[in-house]
Amino acid sequence: TVQLDNGTQENRNAGRTLHRGIEYGLKWNITDELKWRLSGTNAFHQFVEYEESAQDLSGQKMSQAPSWIANSELSYQPDWLENFRVSLEWQHVDPYFTDNANIRQYPGYDIFNARCGYSFKDFDLWVNVMNVANELYATVVRSTPWGDNYNAGEPRTLTLGVGYNFKNKNSQE
């Protein structure tokens, strides 16, 4: 999609791009009770041959393309309290350009989430606190000639939940 001078967009073959990267997931059982995981992607996205609104952007990084995105979680499930779990999650997005000319940049963000849950019989109860520090952040930022557009991230959010496992009570266990 190419943005035209009047602000509208149209699809056209605008040139060639280069995309290189790696996606990964790591898990480490530190102990039987304490577990850590990391998943992420390190990537590079560049215009090889690209023209937009009569401007040659060849060699520029693509907009909305952070070089590193990561999600990590440290979980604790104590042996002394069966079916209980608690975890702290980290979400990271590196800085990225918000325009194809690489003039404007969004600094990225780091947010933390906390989760706690307990299962008993066929029930599952949980409490989640998302964006624990109540950080102001945007999930996506795009720059246009008329200004920046932000998709705001959620403020601190508390969720409570109850789940029930409906299984066939007539089957023999």
Side-chain angles (χ1 to χ4, degrees):
T1 302
V2 176
Q3 185 165 334
L4 304 177
D5 290 335
N6 65 4
T8 62
Q9 295 179 344
E10 73 178 19
N11 293 329
R12 59 166 84 150
N13 184 353
R16 292 186 318 133
T17 58
L18 173 68
H19 306 272
R20 302 230 190 262
I22 185 169
E23 294 182 8
Y24 48 88
L26 305 168
K27 290 183 180 181
W28 179 27
N29 293 342
I30 301 166
T31 67
D32 288 341
E33 298 176 322
L34 191 62
K35 296 171 177 44
W36 174 81
R37 69 159 179 80
L38 170 72
S39 56
T41 180
N42 291 84
F44 179 78
H45 305 277
Q46 181 181 35
F47 296 115
V48 175
E49 293 176 19
Y50 183 75
E51 189 176 303
E52 181 180 86
S53 302
Q55 182 181 16
D56 185 7
L57 300 174
S58 301
Q60 301 290 66
K61 290 184 177 180
M62 296 181 77
S63 61
Q64 292 89 38
S67 59
W68 185 38
I69 300 172
N71 182 288
S72 185
E73 183 178 54
L74 185 64
S75 301
Y76 178 61
Q77 294 178 295
D79 289 337
W80 53 269
L81 185 56
E82 191 176 346
N83 300 322
F84 175 79
R85 64 195 180 276
V86 63
S87 63
L88 181 63
E89 176 188 39
W90 167 59
Q91 293 180 352
H92 171 80
V93 173
D94 252 7
Y96 59 85
F97 289 106
T98 61
D99 64 316
N100 290 334
N102 294 175
I103 296 169
R104 295 186 179 132
Q105 191 174 38
Y106 181 66
Y109 61 87
D110 293 280
I111 61 169
F112 293 90
N113 304 314
R115 303 171 196 275
C116 181
Y118 183 70
S119 299
F120 64 98
K121 297 187 180 180
D122 292 329
F123 288 93
D124 191 38
L125 306 173
W126 66 87
V127 176
N128 297 332
V129 181
M130 310 305 283
N131 191 2
V132 171
N134 202 26
E135 293 291 327
L136 181 62
Y137 71 102
T139 57
V140 176
V141 181
R142 290 182 183 86
S143 295
T144 70
W146 302 276
D148 294 333
N149 294 320
Y150 295 86
N151 290 6
E154 292 290 326
R156 181 183 305 124
T157 305
L158 175 71
T159 60
L160 306 171
V162 176
Y164 182 78
N165 183 11
F166 293 94
K167 57 185 176 184
N168 186 354
K169 302 293 184 186
N170 295 329
S171 67
Q172 293 183 339
E173 298 181 24

